[in-house]
């Protein structure tokens, strides 16, 4: 836009909103407009909520999750099975598994994957802490739930090596046909894995 | 979700973000995650920007636009043609016209349309102020850019009546085929209008 339509404060707000995933420049403008039009109901509460989170957000020193308390809500939840640790690459993956209600365990967030290309080695990930946690006799199983990418699988193999000798059972996610998926659209690797790992009806 | 994955502060942030247009519960969760992961680059600046806007946002007493100054950025822009006032229903319409760079004039935001059903009468809209502004000898034309809905057109007729005697030229937006639009998909009213208001090639 050549001319400024609003004051610099609102333009800055639009720019920042546009950096949120899911919002582009146009939808950020709509969001900003909704905010300024609903000052009391939306703008002020959102500013306060962001301020509170900005002050209290921290990385859980146990599992690497991001939360407003340390240890995080999940690590301190007494109802979760303390014998299983689910290893994920990123907090987003943790949230995805929780959304699915897939598992009732604790997590360990690696913070990425091993990548020679990006210069990310074992010391850049939370692998040492995982080995420490797995040494706890209460832990019986580690589920490696990393992405099914080359980097993810390399990382999974490395972790498996590191956990050898701790005595925990190590498992990984099943490969196969996504629920609701059509065979015609799946790649050969997935189809082969689905056949190889077929299960009795 | 049955169990809480994060502390109440982040849950509250997700709820508020989900109320922004363009974000649903799922994308609000992704946005919240992006915010907590980018505390310094995104979360803190956005909290500050929202706070600043919350403190400074006001309705322009001249035109009804929402901005951080009163009179607003547009009303105080010396480069705009002071002889033309574009009447719109809502600030969103003003922003849309500005995005298009459609006109280099000032605006007047009504704040809605006349609606017997919703109990919105002339006194609930900024029509009196428009008549006052139009009485200024510097104003030569009022462009009524309300929506092409029944309520919009009713409001347009009412405004035309009120402006009678002020001596300003009153115009309204052209009806016709949208640029890039296909005739096959257009309604009869639009097609009839486009034929009636046909122009020499």
């Amino acid at each position: 836009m050549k001319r400024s339509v609003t004051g610099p404060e609102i333009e800055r707000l639009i720019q920042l909103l546009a950096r949120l995933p899911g919002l582009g420049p146009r939808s950020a403008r709509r969001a900003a407009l909704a905010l300024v039009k609903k000052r009391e109901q939306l703008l002020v509460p959102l500013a306060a909520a962001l301020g509170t989170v900005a002050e209290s957000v921290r990385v859980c020193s146990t599992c690497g999750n991001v939360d407003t308390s340390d240890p995080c809500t999940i690590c301190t939840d007494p109802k979760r099975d303390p014998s299983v640790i689910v290893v994920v690459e990123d907090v987003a993956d943790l949230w995805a598994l929780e959304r699915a209600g897939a598992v009732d365990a604790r997590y360990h967030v690696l913070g990425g994957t091993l990548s020679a290309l990006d210069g990310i080695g074992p010391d850049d990930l939370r692998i040492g802490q995982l080995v420490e946690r797995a040494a706890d006799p209460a832990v019986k199983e580690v589920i490696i739930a990393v992405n099914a990418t080359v980097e993810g699988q390399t990382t999974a193999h490395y972790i498996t090596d590191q956990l050898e000798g701790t005595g925990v059972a190590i498992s990984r996610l099943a490969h196969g046909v996504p629920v609701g998926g059509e065979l015609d659209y799946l790649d050969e690797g997935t189809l082969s894995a689905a056949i190889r790992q077929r299960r009795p009806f």
Side-chain angles (χ1 to χ4, degrees), chain A:
Chain A
M1 208 167 304
K2 315 111 265 177
R3 300 169 303 188
S4 66
V5 181
T6 61
E9 299 90 348
I10 295 180
E11 289 296 333
R12 167 122 180 98
L13 177 61
I14 293 168
Q15 279 169 20
L16 287 167
L17 286 171
R19 287 168 56 193
L20 290 178
L23 287 181
R26 197 156 181 158
S27 44
R29 202 159 277 277
R30 275 204 306 144
L33 187 58
L35 283 164
V36 295
K37 284 173 72 180
K38 293 186 192 163
R39 185 182 180 279
E40 301 309 323
Q41 306 98 296
L42 198 50
L43 176 53
V44 172
L46 184 60
L50 282 167
T52 310
V53 170
E55 268 172 40
S56 57
V57 72
R58 55 210 45 172
V59 173
C60 175
S61 55
T62 306
C63 76
N65 186 17
V66 177
D67 203 346
T68 47
S69 58
D70 178 18
C72 72
T73 309
I74 292 177
C75 282
T76 52
D77 184 350
K79 289 193 201 125
R80 285 174 187 263
D81 184 354
S83 70
V84 180
I85 297 176
V86 182
V87 179
V88 292
E89 292 179 18
D90 195 277
V91 180
D93 302 328
L94 184 162
W95 286 22
L97 287 168
E98 281 296 308
R99 218 166 31 229
V103 64
D104 193 30
R106 303 211 172 137
Y107 291 88
H108 194 82
V109 182
L110 294 174
T113 48
L114 296 175
S115 167
L117 210 66
D118 297 330
I120 299 175
D123 295 340
D124 301 313
L125 305 177
R126 239 173 252 104
I127 293 178
Q129 291 101 308
L130 173 63
V131 176
E132 267 175 50
R133 287 181 71 189
D136 183 332
V139 175
K140 305 290 180 214
E141 182 179 4
V142 169
I143 304 175
I144 303 184
V146 295
N147 290 332
T149 56
V150 174
E151 292 82 8
Q153 295 312 306
T154 309
T155 312
H157 283 294
Y158 181 85
I159 291 172
T160 310
D161 286 349
Q162 298 296 306
L163 290 177
E164 215 164 75
T166 55
V168 295
I170 305 172
S171 55
R172 58 174 180 161
L173 296 184
H175 284 308
V177 181
V179 175
E182 294 183 41
L183 299 197
D184 195 17
Y185 292 95
L186 284 174
D187 63 293
E188 298 78 17
T190 304
L191 286 174
S192 302
I195 290 282
R196 272 199 315 277
Q197 298 169 25
R198 66 190 177 280
R199 305 181 50 200
F201 211 123

